[in-house]
Amino acid sequence: MRRVRHLTALATFAFAATGAAQQPSADDRLAGRLDASTREQVVALVDSLNSEGLPTEPIVARALEGASKRADGVLIVRVVRGFATHLRVARQVLGAASSDREIIAGANALKAGIKT
């Protein structure tokens, strides 16, 4: 019975690792959508947030939204940096044990004008 649990856990881990490896990076998703300078700045921000343990998907999504709306690169960088600040503040207020969803919700509340 223990062997079955061990194999199940190993298979689950292998499946999860394969799925993560196949997920396109932020740089891949932004390539061709942003100019080189803007993409470099957004990817650097994503890497920074990732190293801090913060969710990065909202940053990539906002950059892609800006690209879809044909926003200037300077504006895109300003918007994603502003949201990164909201993510950092949200985690500080909510605590280190907060989930990504809670941090994103907190950041959106801050963006909407809710005071801490």
Side-chain angles (χ1 to χ4, degrees), residues 26-28 30 38-48 59:
D27 195 32
D28 292 342
L30 298 170
T38 303
R39 185 178 68 247
E40 182 179 304
Q41 292 176 71
V42 172
V43 169
L45 182 60
V46 166
D47 291 344
S48 176
I59 301 300

Side-chain angles (χ1 to χ4, degrees), residues 88-112:
R88 288 176 175 123
V89 171
R91 186 187 45 205
Q92 183 180 12
V93 170
L94 296 170
S98 300
S99 70
D100 284 356
R101 287 182 182 190
E102 291 169 329
I103 293 169
I104 293 167
N108 282 317
L110 291 169
K111 182 177 180 281

Side-chain angles (χ1 to χ4, degrees), residues 2-76:
R2 189 180 342 181
R3 183 179 171 117
V4 171
R5 277 189 254 152
H6 178 72
L7 289 174
T8 302
L10 184 60
T12 302
F13 175 76
F15 179 74
T18 302
Q22 293 175 353
Q23 184 177 17
S25 70
D27 195 32
D28 292 342
R29 293 175 57 200
L30 298 170
R33 303 286 308 275
L34 300 174
D35 64 81
S37 174
T38 303
R39 185 178 68 247
E40 182 179 304
Q41 292 176 71
V42 172
V43 169
L45 182 60
V46 166
D47 291 344
S48 176
L49 291 173
N50 194 33
S51 71
E52 295 173 45
L54 286 164
T56 59
E57 183 56 31
I59 301 300
V60 175
R62 279 171 173 71
L64 291 172
E65 179 182 8
S68 295
K69 293 180 177 180
R70 297 190 173 133
D72 178 68
V74 173
L75 177 60
I76 292 171

